Amino acid sequence: MISSILPTYNRAPLTFVKGEGSWLIEQDGRRFLDFGAGIAVNALGHAHPALVQALTDQAGALWHVSNLYNITQQQALADRLVANTFADTVFFTNSGTESCELAVKMARKYWYEQGQSDRIKIVTFEGAFHGRSSAAIAAAGSEKMLKGFGPALEGFVHVPWGDHDALRAAIGPDTAAVMIEPVQGEGGIRPLPDQCLQGLRALCDDYGVLLIADEVQCGMGRTGRLFAHEWSGITPDIMMVAKGIGGGFPLGAVLATENAASGMTAGTHGSTYGGNPLACAVGTAVMDIVSDPAFLETVRARAGRLQQGLAGLVDSFPDVFETVRGSGLMIGLKCKLPNTDVLQAAYDQQLITVPGGDNVLRLLPPLNITDAEVDDAIARLRAAAEMLQK
Ligand SMILES: *Cc1c(COP(=O)(O)O)cnc(C)c1O
């Protein structure tokens, strides 16, 4: 008999009933160190006082109106995002998938309004993940996600990750945009080298193609910069954001330059909940903390400590781990053993991590993790590796 919850997930037998900072408390009372953060969502850990305050204050005042009216909380967050990024304008969504939908629509509408209505192709990369809607699965293009769901939305061209020649060959007069995660998340934490992103920007400029950055996972301070593309010095035309921006409250956004957004006039897109007062009140509280340069400096310091500790583990346990890669606090531990075995051994040490593609174990701790918690996680992974090594 089918479960009352549609069985689309293989769930670990863990039930968390409370969160405190970087810790999750299981219903049996065990405390788990959370290096998954709900897949890079709980950017400031659990029950951060400033976020609880922002949410409860807003909950007592106003939950929802509609985008038929002005929403001051939405305006405040949009102003902050514009002030801190390349973008001139923001549309709020409730998830990364919805941000993908709008990014695709925006890029195509741009060319339509330029009088090039057949310029609809969007180049994406193998191993990418952009969400689960029909457009997002077509964008990623993996057989696993597309199979059985009817004809894929047309117009996506997939090229191998980091293959500049294949990318150049894929771009032509019918290309509307290139969509890329500066650090692939689900694909197994694969950072694109800075010079590749710079080359990609130059290629887009040569052909007038729009560059869409999917920073749903790698954005909002995760790599030690507010957004990952900042490391390379380039800017995209359109950027998809979600996950960390709401700190655990459902919130996403599409950021764009005035030029890239120029086709999106009144009536061309909408969302009932997008930019809802509750979500934007929390999002503003997250932004206030994460956009502070001193906070980002601390993220980089913690990341250095964690990456150093992990490199030591790889040296000590060559039969368990292969290598460490990633950027900031978005780290992939490529495993020699099946990553699911390592995941389970980490659970046994009450450490939460997340599996990823390419046999990687993802470490995505809250950005405000302490040095002591970083050391604790290394100790737990060491214990897990010792159990697996013998
Ligand atoms: C998670 C993710 C998405 C999809 O976000 P949802 O909120 O699950 O719809 C899109 N792109 C990237 C890079 C992601 O990591």
Side-chain angles (χ1 to χ4, degrees):
M1 197 173 80
I2 195 167
S3 54
S4 61
I5 294 172
L6 191 72
T8 58
Y9 276 94
N10 279 317
R11 293 168 196 268
L14 291 168
T15 306
F16 299 112
V17 292
K18 193 170 165 55
E20 290 170 0
S22 305
W23 298 84
L24 279 170
I25 294 120
E26 221 271 348
Q27 60 183 3
D28 65 7
R30 281 181 301 161
R31 291 172 66 85
F32 285 72
L33 184 53
D34 186 8
F35 268 52
I39 318 187
V41 168
N42 302 103
L44 297 171
H46 302 278
H48 188 287
L51 273 53
V52 172
Q53 184 80 50
L55 182 62
T56 49
D57 284 355
Q58 189 58 46
L62 182 67
W63 288 24
H64 178 79
V65 279
S66 160
N67 284 308
L68 296 173
Y69 315 103
N70 296 316
I71 299 175
T72 55
Q73 296 76 16
Q74 192 181 124
Q75 186 67 53
L77 181 52
D79 289 347
R80 268 188 192 59
L81 287 165
V82 165
N84 283 281
T85 66
F86 72 95
D88 303 312
T89 189
V90 183
F91 183 92
F92 291 104
T93 69
N94 311 285
S95 68
T97 296
E98 288 167 75
S99 294
C100 179
E101 287 292 322
L102 174 54
V104 168
K105 287 176 69 177
M106 185 182 280
R108 289 177 171 175
K109 187 67 158 43
Y110 173 82
W111 289 112
Y112 177 86
E113 295 296 340
Q114 301 290 314
Q116 300 187 45
S117 58
D118 48 5
R119 194 162 174 171
I120 54 110
K121 288 222 172 107
I122 297 179
V123 178
T124 61
F125 296 85
E126 285 168 11
F129 182 78
H130 300 299
R132 292 292 197 155
S133 66
S134 295
I137 61 178
S142 87
E143 174 78 2
K144 194 179 131 203
M145 281 191 280
L146 283 164
K147 197 179 174 196
F149 295 109
L153 184 67
E154 278 177 56
F156 293 94
V157 182
H158 309 101
V159 300
W161 178 251
D163 184 339
H164 196 76
D165 294 335
L167 179 64
R168 184 174 287 272
I171 288 181
D174 57 354
T175 308
V178 173
M179 179 183 284
I180 191 163
E181 295 159 85
V183 184
Q184 275 194 353
E186 303 301 307
I189 314 291
R190 293 197 290 181
L192 194 69
D194 289 346
Q195 68 271 21
C196 290
L197 207 49
Q198 288 154 3
L200 175 53
R201 176 74 265 183
L203 198 55
C204 286
D205 290 343
D206 288 348
Y207 291 88
V209 168
L210 298 174
L211 178 58
I212 304 170
D214 180 349
E215 296 229 12
V216 169
Q217 194 162 151
C218 63
M220 286 309 289
R222 180 61 44 196
T223 67
R225 292 289 194 101
L226 186 54
F227 289 101
H229 68 262
E230 294 172 20
W231 286 108
S232 68
I234 65 105
T235 56
D237 301 289
I238 299 171
M239 178 165 70
M240 297 147 56
V241 180
K243 292 201 167 95
I245 191 174
F249 199 93
L251 175 63
V254 173
L255 281 65
T257 63
E258 183 168 10
N259 180 51
S262 58
M264 302 306 294
T265 51
T268 56
H269 196 64
S271 169
T272 295
Y273 287 128
N276 156 297
L278 291 168
C280 289
V282 178
T284 301
V286 172
M287 231 349 238
D288 282 347
I289 295 170
V290 173
S291 63
D292 179 350
F295 179 86
L296 293 168
E297 179 61 47
T298 310
V299 171
R300 296 194 286 273
R302 299 285 185 273
R305 190 181 184 95
L306 179 56
Q307 292 188 21
Q308 209 172 359
L310 293 171
L313 283 184
V314 173
D315 287 343
S316 304
F317 300 98
D319 300 336
V320 180
F321 305 119
E322 195 170 309
T323 179
V324 187
R325 63 193 188 204
S327 177
L329 289 174
M330 185 171 182
I331 301 178
L333 201 46
K334 187 161 162 60
C335 299
K336 277 257 176 67
L337 297 177
N339 61 351
T340 45
D341 291 358
V342 186
L343 176 77
Q344 185 56 54
Y347 282 151
D348 293 343
Q349 300 302 323
Q350 289 162 231
L351 175 70
I352 305 290
T353 61
V354 184
D358 196 29
N359 203 34
V360 157
L361 201 63
R362 280 182 283 173
L363 303 181
L364 305 160
L367 304 180
N368 57 351
I369 195 95
T370 65
D371 279 341
E373 287 164 343
V374 166
D375 296 348
D376 192 343
I378 299 290
R380 285 167 197 255
L381 273 174
R382 177 175 295 279
E386 276 164 2
M387 296 302 288
L388 289 164
Q389 179 105 309
K390 55 176 196 195

